[in-house]
Amino acid sequence: MTVVWVVVGGFVVAAGVAYGVVARRGRADAGDDPAAGREARSRQHRYEAERHGDQGDTWHRGRESSG
């Protein structure tokens, strides 16, 4: 039974270390340029708006041709 607890404890320690590494890396990336994030979001919104407009045009063309 002791072996089981040692193995479980090892998994818990490994998971804790992995969580710590990821959390630390996330904090290091938090210093990114806020302007770059704004630019990426605005580019994504622009793409979505254009895509929505293109889909609407396609839908309208389909309705006009069907009669």
Side-chain angles (χ1 to χ4, degrees), residues 49-67:
E50 290 172 3
R51 180 103 170 124
H52 182 73
D54 290 345
Q55 288 175 348
D57 291 343
T58 302
W59 185 81
H60 285 295
R61 276 193 306 254
R63 286 191 40 96
E64 290 170 0
S65 66
S66 65

Side-chain angles (χ1 to χ4, degrees), residues 2-67:
T2 304
V3 173
V4 172
W5 286 115
V6 169
V7 171
V8 170
F11 280 124
V12 169
V13 168
V17 168
Y19 179 81
V21 167
V22 171
R24 188 178 189 183
R25 185 182 304 167
R27 245 182 280 132
D29 291 342
D32 287 344
D33 183 16
R38 282 193 302 272
E39 173 63 26
R41 282 189 297 279
S42 69
R43 197 175 319 133
Q44 180 67 27
H45 287 280
R46 208 170 25 249
Y47 168 78
E48 290 172 1
E50 290 172 3
R51 180 103 170 124
H52 182 73
D54 290 345
Q55 288 175 348
D57 291 343
T58 302
W59 185 81
H60 285 295
R61 276 193 306 254
R63 286 191 40 96
E64 290 170 0
S65 66
S66 65

